[in-house]
Amino acid sequence: MTARIIEGEHYRFTIITDYLLRIEWSDDNQFETRPTYFAQNRDFATPTTVQVFYGRQNHELEIETAGFHLYYEGGAFSAKTLWIDAKYKYETHFSRWLYGRELVGGNLFGTARTLDEADGEIPLENGVISRHGYALIDDSDNNVILSNQELGPQNHDQTDLYYFAYGRRYQAEIRDYFKLSGVPPILPRYALGNWWSRFYPYTQESYQALFNRFEAEKIPFSVAVLDMDWHKTEVPEDQGSGWTGYTWNQDKFPNHQELLNWLHQRGLKVTLNVHPAAGIRSFEQGYPDVAQHLGLDADTKEPAVFDIKNSSFRQSYFEDIHHPLETEGVDFWWLDWQQDRYFDTEGYDVLKALNHYHYLDNETRHPGEGLILSRYAGPGSQRYPIGFSGDTWISWESLKFQPYFTATASNIGYTWWSHDIGGHMIGSYDPELQTRWLQYGVFSPINRLHSSDNPFSGKEPWNYPIENRRVMDHFLRLRHQLIPYLDSENIKTHLEGMPLVQPIYYLYPEMDTYYYYRDEYFFGSQLLVSAMVEPLHQQLQQAKATTWLPEGTWYDFFTHQVYQGEQEVNLYRSLAQYPVLVKQGGILPLTPTVMDNLEVLPEQLSVQIFGQADNEYVMYEHVGTAIAKTIFTLTANGELTVQIDDPKQIIPHQREINLAVLAIADLKIINQTKLNITTTQLTPAPDLVDQTTAALQMMKIPYELKRQIYNFVKANESEPLKILNFISTQNNAALVDFFTGLLAQKF
């Protein structure tokens, strides 16, 4: 046992690391040793700074480490008998927590169970990241996980708390959180592509026609989601609602097996929506097997009441209902559990049980490829991806909240959120909103387009004006081009314990500025995204993202504009552009093909390199459980070494790598692989005059004013301050704001 344990009558303190403490109280002195839904591994480090004092200064017990100082006066835990000082000076006075009291502010929040019916911001639960340096998770009422992987009774301890005192070492804290609670598994590659999802009464013919059109227009998708109308919804009155169902609707899908085969032949995976609360009833195709399995009276149509806690029901639920559907071609399940109010859930969280059992079942049947789409059920849920965030309203307010909501979820280790991209319901027709939301979806963990059954709310790109449609098509293709990068970061999340999406304060925790840019986040190790969450300015015909650039030099992924860091920049962008930045030396692997089956590793890679600086980028790839690495090592001298570590030989032997470089005049390549590597140059950003010309062309300002600005910029191209002073004389605040951002570039 490497963790340090100090215990006495009714209490036990476990120092898991020098910065992570478990606090337990048990009335019968029988302390909980089993894993819970949250805590999986309590013995993963060796504390090195622990000091224990008994009776010092009249305290019964003191425990001191590099991260905290605990005082215990003996007897039942209370604010008078137990308190902890975190060893950080982030509060005005000192960082003390008294047992039973709310922690003083500073928590940077985690996530929430659902965004159902949200129209903008909602309250969030606490996470383990705090500006004050300490946080708390209460595991007292959680269910244990038994040795046979069954979700068992509640935690035996009356008190079971985890105290985190990592200061502002946020990345180390999240890594240890994952060690304690379980790392997210590696997602199958197909999950990283575009998902088509809609609550809509498709027919087999209309669904095939939809995907035929996507294919004809070269718009790639990797996951086909069928919402609840795949099954019978009109059921006998004596059987209740049709919300729950497991039998294909033959009127809509006369040959569903043919449909599933057809989708698979096109490289698509299939998931079906299920609302399991009503159990298995007599009209279901699988009911006779369920009745026999559970000893039900089929003559009286005795239902199999939903009871996921019951092992017999659970066995029949999977073996008689779900597995036959999977054998036909269902790849994984969308568990849309919303029915807690109809069940006595005290002492047993049904959502946790559904997530746990469904993920384990899918992983058993698809080793290394396990997947569900379900709702967040509290700390520990990161082990059961992917999260469905719920039915949001279609509004700018909803879009504005999602980048912050997604980044903040990393503070509780929940890294794989799937939102209803474009919003689910209410709202009105707004092509710009849909375009910006889709762009955000491409740079979010899961890009699942979704909408309600309103015939006018579909997210098909051809529902929008041509200028929007072209942008949507481009970004949907871009998502599939990004798969090499996304999958690499997916594997890094599992291996290294770092979420795909991170708030910018993770890398710059001591700088106050970085806590206030809620729309900005790191997207993997190489990209910085500043989400567009406001409509375009009508006069400028561009939208603005107010962005704080960290230190160093940054390149715009789309426009190749160059910016110096340590400053706030107004990034104005047209509809076709999105503020995605790469730090100097950044290395980004893409694939030029977009319609390929995502389960097959690409034969062609286009690796973009943005300027020269010291950087090592490891591109991970996987097939099943086999993992390969391609290592790109760049130096500030413009030398690139390429190596491969591929023990299972999964990288295609005929692979070709094109290095597309920006701002590197002479890249020296040291190719330590057998692959063919070529080089091309990315086009630098246009000069200031050309950028000004393009922007002025679209602006809704007088033509003569456009001419004056153009002439002045052309005559004073090398004097940005002089240009800005001239713009200021025009008494137009929007123009001043725009040119302030434009002139922030390095030319």
Side-chain angles (χ1 to χ4, degrees), residues 421 434-442 447 449 472 475-476:
I421 296 301
Q434 290 304 315
T435 305
R436 291 304 192 193
W437 213 326
L438 188 148
Q439 290 169 323
Y440 167 67
V442 168
N447 189 34
L449 279 66
M472 290 175 167
F475 273 80
L476 287 167

Side-chain angles (χ1 to χ4, degrees), residues 154-220:
Q154 281 186 293
N155 190 335
H156 182 81
D157 290 336
Q158 283 71 54
T159 296
D160 193 355
L161 305 175
Y162 291 84
Y163 176 84
F164 294 76
Y166 284 76
R168 293 182 182 168
R169 296 181 303 115
Y170 300 149
Q171 291 185 322
E173 186 167 12
I174 289 299
R175 281 193 291 268
D176 280 356
Y177 173 89
F178 282 142
K179 290 177 185 177
L180 172 66
S181 186
V183 294
I186 297 172
L187 299 189
R189 289 182 94 249
Y190 69 78
L192 303 170
N194 298 316
W195 297 35
W196 181 260
S197 175
R198 191 178 183 190
F199 176 31
Y200 191 77
Y202 287 108
T203 64
Q204 185 163 338
E205 182 180 16
S206 67
Y207 207 62
Q208 288 178 308
L210 173 69
F211 279 95
N212 275 332
R213 183 164 182 183
F214 283 140
E215 187 172 359
E217 301 198 7
K218 296 190 181 333
I219 302 174

Side-chain angles (χ1 to χ4, degrees), residues 353 362 370 475 502 536 552 595 702:
N362 195 262
F475 273 80
Q502 298 179 31
L536 59 79
M595 299 302 291

Side-chain angles (χ1 to χ4, degrees), residues 342-478:
Y342 300 115
F343 290 80
D344 179 8
T345 58
E346 184 176 355
Y348 195 85
D349 191 317
V350 176
L351 179 59
K352 288 178 180 177
L354 283 168
N355 290 353
H356 179 72
Y357 290 123
H358 265 280
Y359 182 81
L360 290 181
D361 185 73
N362 195 262
E363 171 64 23
T364 299
R365 292 170 66 82
H366 305 280
E369 299 279 304
L371 198 67
I372 60 173
L373 178 64
S374 188
R375 295 173 186 266
Y376 174 75
S381 294
Q382 73 276 356
R383 299 192 306 276
Y384 313 109
I386 295 168
F388 161 54
S389 65
D391 299 337
T392 52
W393 283 19
I394 300 170
S395 68
W396 283 98
E397 289 75 17
S398 290
L399 171 59
K400 185 173 179 60
F401 184 54
Q402 283 189 3
Y404 170 75
F405 177 84
T406 308
T408 301
S410 295
N411 295 341
I412 199 67
Y414 203 65
T415 189
W416 291 113
W417 267 126
S418 169
H419 304 304
D420 285 357
I421 296 301
H424 177 71
M425 59 187 181
I426 316 299
S428 58
Y429 184 73
D430 188 336
E432 184 192 0
L433 171 61
Q434 290 304 315
T435 305
R436 291 304 192 193
W437 213 326
L438 188 148
Q439 290 169 323
Y440 167 67
V442 168
F443 291 97
S444 72
I446 302 295
N447 189 34
R448 180 178 54 84
L449 279 66
H450 188 72
S451 57
S452 72
D453 62 351
N454 188 304
F456 299 101
S457 67
K459 302 302 189 297
E460 296 90 343
W462 50 82
N463 288 341
Y464 300 95
I466 188 64
E467 62 269 25
N468 301 84
R469 176 179 173 180
R470 286 172 177 163
V471 175
M472 290 175 167
D473 289 353
H474 172 72
F475 273 80
L476 287 167
R477 295 179 188 122
L478 175 61

